[in-house]
């Protein structure tokens, strides 16, 4: 029986594609790469930015780090606000908290941004811990973020009672690395095929499915 639930942010709690993809587009343009199709850039939602710039565009690490700098230029000014909470999320969190679950956030996004977003939407009070990566590039993998959240929730020795909820294969894989289960949601930015191949405990097509699973 689960006692603690960790949520991903982008694609799980909030619909953040516009702000992320437009900021990636801006960064690429600064490096001389014109990518007009924002849909192609949705692969940047979820994995660490540095890795994705290197993997998707064949950048070396130095160039990819500069791309991250350019990304943050636009993201901090505009992108962070091009974002909205999915319908039903607030009600889900309220119901889970009322049932006694400990709730947390574990995101690959820098925790500096994660806290700003949750505060902006009035969601901070639902969570006992809020974890993410560091601005200097430390703790970027999902597994590392989850480990930090487990430590701060004091659930390191109760991993079978903790579960991750996320929308990408990185969430499932990170949870597995940290020794906890993962419930995947297919309303976010990962395809059903991607999630099925990652093999989570279950795949919920909507917020209501998450609520039924836990309540």
């Amino acid at each position: 029986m689960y006692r603690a639930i960790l949520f991903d942010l982008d694609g799980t709690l909030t619909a953040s594609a516009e702000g992320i993809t437009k900021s990636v587009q801006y960064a690429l343009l600064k490096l001389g790469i014109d990518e007009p199709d924002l849909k192609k850039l949705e692969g940047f939602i979820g994995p660490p930015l540095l890795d994705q710039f290197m993997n998707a565009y064949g950048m070396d690490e130095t160039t990819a780090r500069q791309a991250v700098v350019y990304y943050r230029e636009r993201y901090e000014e505009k992108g962070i606000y091009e974002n909205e909470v999915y319908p039903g999320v607030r009600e889900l969190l309220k119901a889970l908290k009322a049932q006694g679950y400990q709730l947390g956030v574990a995101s690959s996004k820098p925790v500096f941004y994660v806290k700003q977003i949750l505060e902006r939407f009035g969601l901070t009070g639902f969570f006992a811990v809020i974890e993410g990566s560091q601005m200097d590039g430390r703790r970027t993998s999902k597994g590392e973020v989850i480990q930090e959240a487990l430590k701060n929730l004091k659930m390191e020795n109760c991993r079978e009672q903790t579960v991750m909820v996320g929308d990408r294969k990185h969430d499932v894989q990170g949870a597995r690395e940290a020794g906890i289960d993962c419930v995947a949601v297919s309303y976010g930015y990962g395809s059903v095929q991607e999630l099925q191949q990652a093999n989570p405990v279950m795949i919920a097509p909507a917020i209501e499915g998450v609520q039924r699973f836990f309540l």
Side-chain angles (χ1 to χ4, degrees):
M1 181 179 175
Y2 299 122
R3 289 170 43 209
I5 307 169
L6 300 175
F7 286 91
D8 178 45
L9 180 62
D10 297 317
T12 303
L13 298 178
T14 69
S16 53
E18 181 182 359
I20 292 173
T21 57
K22 285 184 176 178
S23 298
V24 171
Q25 184 184 55
Y26 169 88
L28 291 173
L29 196 57
K30 295 272 280 190
L31 290 169
I33 303 169
D34 184 14
E35 179 51 78
D37 188 354
L38 292 176
K39 195 73 180 172
K40 288 184 180 178
L41 301 179
E42 288 190 358
F44 281 82
I45 307 170
L49 274 178
L50 182 70
D51 295 349
Q52 193 63 12
F53 277 119
M54 293 171 71
N55 294 336
Y57 286 90
M59 296 179 185
D60 58 40
E61 185 173 340
T62 300
T63 306
R65 288 191 183 281
Q66 185 59 55
V68 172
V69 171
Y70 289 145
Y71 170 91
R72 289 174 178 169
E73 282 180 3
R74 187 191 183 280
Y75 188 77
E76 290 181 0
E77 181 184 352
K78 296 179 181 177
I80 195 169
Y81 304 116
E82 295 166 331
N83 197 357
E84 61 184 7
V85 179
Y86 283 114
V89 160
R90 200 177 305 275
E91 292 76 13
L92 170 66
L93 297 175
K94 188 179 295 185
L96 292 173
K97 201 167 172 67
Q99 284 293 312
Y101 286 103
Q102 286 193 82
L103 306 181
V105 172
S107 171
S108 293
K109 185 189 293 294
V111 69
F112 174 73
Y113 297 141
V114 174
K115 289 181 176 179
Q116 286 184 63
I117 292 165
L118 294 174
E119 186 67 31
R120 174 178 172 80
F121 291 126
L123 298 178
T124 306
F126 288 112
F127 301 109
V129 299
I130 298 169
E131 295 300 339
S133 62
Q134 298 297 309
M135 295 288 278
D136 62 5
R138 288 180 295 121
R139 204 169 68 214
T140 56
S141 82
K142 200 46 164 284
E144 290 174 322
V145 175
I146 292 172
Q147 292 279 19
E148 187 69 13
L150 288 170
K151 183 176 77 173
N152 291 328
L153 274 176
K154 296 182 171 48
M155 295 294 285
E156 288 177 293
N157 297 321
C158 308
R159 292 171 194 260
E160 74 285 353
Q161 297 178 336
T162 310
V163 61
M164 179 76 203
V165 179
D167 69 310
R168 299 297 309 272
K169 65 182 179 182
H170 311 86
D171 298 305
V172 186
Q173 293 164 352
R176 191 169 291 125
E177 289 169 14
I180 68 173
D181 288 340
C182 184
V183 169
V185 297
S186 59
Y187 59 79
Y189 302 112
S191 68
V192 172
Q193 181 181 12
E194 173 188 319
L195 295 173
Q196 286 174 338
Q197 290 174 348
N199 195 30
V201 171
M202 64 95 69
I203 300 174
I207 291 287
E208 291 75 19
V210 180
Q211 186 156 336
R212 281 195 299 272
F213 181 81
F214 288 114
L215 299 175

